[in-house]
Amino acid sequence: MNLFIIGDVHGCFHTFQELLKRWDPATEFLIQVGDLVDRGAYVPETVELARSLSEQYPDSTAFLMGNHEDALLHHFGPDGPYRGWLRWGGRSTTDQYRARPDLLARHLLWLEQRPLFWENEHVLVSHAGIGTSDQAYNPDSSDGLLWTRTPLRRLPQLQVVGHTPMPQSEPKFDKATNALYIDTGAVFGGNLTGVRLSPTGQPLDIILTPVHLEDLLE
């Protein structure tokens, strides 16, 4: 199957729906790089759509953990509240879930099961990327694959990552590290990006979906 990889959604539900129309479940494996939650206007709807797709297509979808999901889980976990998260996106998420506690409980169970990365022989997808630090695979480290913004390790595989919004709202390929960055800042008024790759990592198509204005908080 070809790969269809989607960048950071951040509650941009209608934009996410539009981009998903370009995905063919019969021939493509869908991977989303994490950060479904926070900052946008439709966080519960976005997570529910992703959760439903993962149940409907368990053998052809992978929704990964992002640093915002990780922070949400810490906030609602035994060590919470996480006040730092509330300041950088979590407040709108908690406000949206306040009247929907049953949905929040369901989503917390699903989100805590999200994998940290997906890989085959030719492609590795994670939220922020595998850096050069010895903490690269530690999800709690600032140098780890949920948080790093340092140059990535050059792997035998193509790395596809989100996390760091790209200038001009377009994906960027870093030849030196063989890494493709696909967070194109939808929630900041940019695009939601979908990248279609062959199983061997050859680019087949790049789809830029301008954010729907209704997805943005006023």
Side-chain angles (χ1 to χ4, degrees):
M1 300 178 82
N2 288 331
L3 307 178
F4 192 88
I5 309 173
I6 294 178
D8 302 44
V9 179
H10 282 303
C12 294
F13 172 72
H14 299 91
T15 315
F16 189 32
Q17 276 191 315
E18 182 178 340
L19 180 54
L20 284 168
K21 294 175 183 176
R22 305 290 295 273
W23 169 51
D24 179 5
T27 63
E28 297 174 336
F29 192 96
L30 174 67
I31 307 167
Q32 197 277 326
V33 302
D35 280 9
L36 292 168
V37 306
D38 296 351
R39 295 178 173 162
Y42 295 94
V43 170
E45 293 84 356
T46 298
V47 177
E48 183 61 18
L49 176 55
R51 189 197 66 80
S52 298
L53 289 172
S54 72
E55 288 193 350
Q56 186 177 359
Y57 302 102
D59 298 324
S60 56
T61 59
F63 291 90
L64 305 183
M65 181 74 72
N67 65 308
H68 282 259
E69 282 83 25
D70 181 67
L72 180 152
L73 291 167
H74 277 85
H75 179 79
F76 288 105
D79 298 328
Y82 186 174
R83 302 195 185 282
W85 171 68
L86 293 175
R87 290 193 296 271
W88 44 265
R91 180 67 66 191
S92 63
T93 294
T94 58
D95 289 346
Q96 290 173 50
Y97 274 116
R98 185 166 289 118
R100 311 176 78 172
D102 294 342
L103 198 58
L104 175 61
R106 182 195 305 167
H107 289 176
L108 289 174
L109 288 173
W110 182 76
L111 289 171
E112 70 181 4
Q113 299 170 17
R114 295 308 89 213
L116 293 173
F117 61 91
W118 180 95
E119 67 176 332
N120 67 13
E121 184 180 354
H122 305 282
V123 179
L124 188 148
V125 186
S126 66
H127 182 63
I130 309 302
T132 58
S133 166
D134 61 2
Q135 296 296 305
Y137 287 91
N138 180 355
D140 296 321
S141 170
S142 61
D143 291 325
L145 75 177
L146 295 183
W147 297 92
T148 188
R149 295 192 192 275
T150 61
L152 300 183
R153 186 182 308 180
R154 187 177 179 92
L155 300 178
Q157 302 129 303
L158 169 71
Q159 287 205 63
V160 183
V161 302
H163 186 56
T164 301
M166 292 293 100
Q168 288 79 52
S169 300
E170 294 181 356
K172 176 184 176 182
F173 177 68
D174 181 3
K175 186 176 180 180
T177 58
N178 195 31
L180 179 62
Y181 293 81
I182 64 168
D183 179 2
T184 47
V187 78
F188 303 117
N191 299 309
L192 182 60
T193 289
V195 176
R196 185 175 284 115
L197 303 177
S198 74
T200 58
Q202 297 303 309
L204 303 175
D205 197 11
I206 295 177
I207 303 160
L208 301 179
T209 304
V211 68
H212 289 222
L213 295 182
E214 61 191 307
D215 287 332
L216 305 180
L217 293 171
E218 296 181 359

